[in-house]
Amino acid sequence: MRIEINGEPREVQEGLTIGVLLETLGLSERPVAVERNADIVPRAHHASTQLHEGDKLEVVQFVGGG
Amino acid sequence: MQDVLTIGQHTFDSRLFVGTGKYKDLDETKAALDASGAQVVTVAVRRVDLSKPQDQALFEYLRERKFTLLPNTAGCYSASDAVRTCRLAREAGMTAFVKLEVLGDPATLFPDVEQTLEAARVLVKEGFTVLPYTNDDPITCKKLEDIGCAAVMPLGAPIGSGLGIRNPYNIEIILKQSKVPVIVDAGVGTASDAAVAMELGCHGVLMNTAIAGAKDPVRMARAMRLATEAGRLAYLSGRIPKKLYATASSPLEGVIGSERA
């Protein structure tokens, strides 16, 4: 199914959870935050939140800054 | 009794807060942060670049050295973006400690006061410990304090400008009226600027470019550490008043006879 992550379209498998997606991206051990359709999905819910066709995700992290 | 800085639930020995941006590389970042003696560092919140493998060495270092992260809302031009960024920062970093920054203009990077106040109201209500970047206007600082911000952070001069404390008189008025810590944030260029801010009575100084942009950032970080400490000590020592005329430092009695005609 097609979703969008950080403004880029991506093809992912049906029933993919946020938890598995982050693992695939190598982000499961990192301090990141995930927004799904403009709502933050708390870390505790990553494993149980399944994505749907057309979902727009924002995945952010901390970077150097002033 | 130790001279510590208390903001919200946090207590710090170092009154120098530093940014983690604009360094040449990770080694320079680490060396400069170490030399600065800072305990609080700012970080930005940005999209993960999914096209490259993630390098989290900086954050591993910050975590290992137990820095307190102060996520900022740099790049936000609206209250809603700033609020959203803070919520994401809280989720990512498991910290409610945030530097609120809502910009009004890309050339000056001056804060949009109206949007900053609006964002501050929402964030305080949501339980954040808000440190707002603001202009050096006592009225705005009072409003931010009344809203419930944990500190106020008036700029010395535009971000990255290196112009120092352009309006020390305003900073002094802000200090006289504030019951929350006042931290000068933005515009510091060299060591004396940090010392001046601290001599006025500021509770801390926040800087990034002054260190990262120096020709020798590690040495400048050390200079800033010393300057911040020196300025604080001078403030606590109670300086002499400024006078128009001289007062001799050596005794007037017992001066030997002079050869003057």
Side-chain angles (χ1 to χ4, degrees), chain B residues 246-260:
Chain B
T247 309
S249 304
S250 304
L252 301 175
E253 312 82 31
V255 176
I256 58 169
S258 112
E259 291 298 313
R260 281 204 318 257

Side-chain angles (χ1 to χ4, degrees), chain B residues 216-239:
Chain B
D216 185 340
V218 179
R219 188 173 278 189
M220 184 59 90
R222 181 168 149 73
M224 291 300 184
R225 175 185 189 156
L226 293 169
T228 305
E229 287 173 13
R232 179 66 178 170
L233 280 171
Y235 170 72
L236 293 173
S237 304
R239 61 157 295 155

Side-chain angles (χ1 to χ4, degrees), chain A residues 22-40:
Chain A
L22 291 181
E23 248 175 67
T24 317
L25 296 170
L27 296 171
S28 33
E29 300 302 307
R30 309 294 162 84
V32 294
V34 179
E35 246 186 23
R36 174 172 167 243
N37 301 330
D39 284 321
I40 293 182

Side-chain angles (χ1 to χ4, degrees), chain A residues 40-55:
Chain A
I40 293 182
V41 181
R43 188 159 304 149
H45 297 166
H46 285 180
S48 57
T49 303
Q50 277 191 338
L51 299 170
H52 301 124
E53 174 80 29
D55 274 351

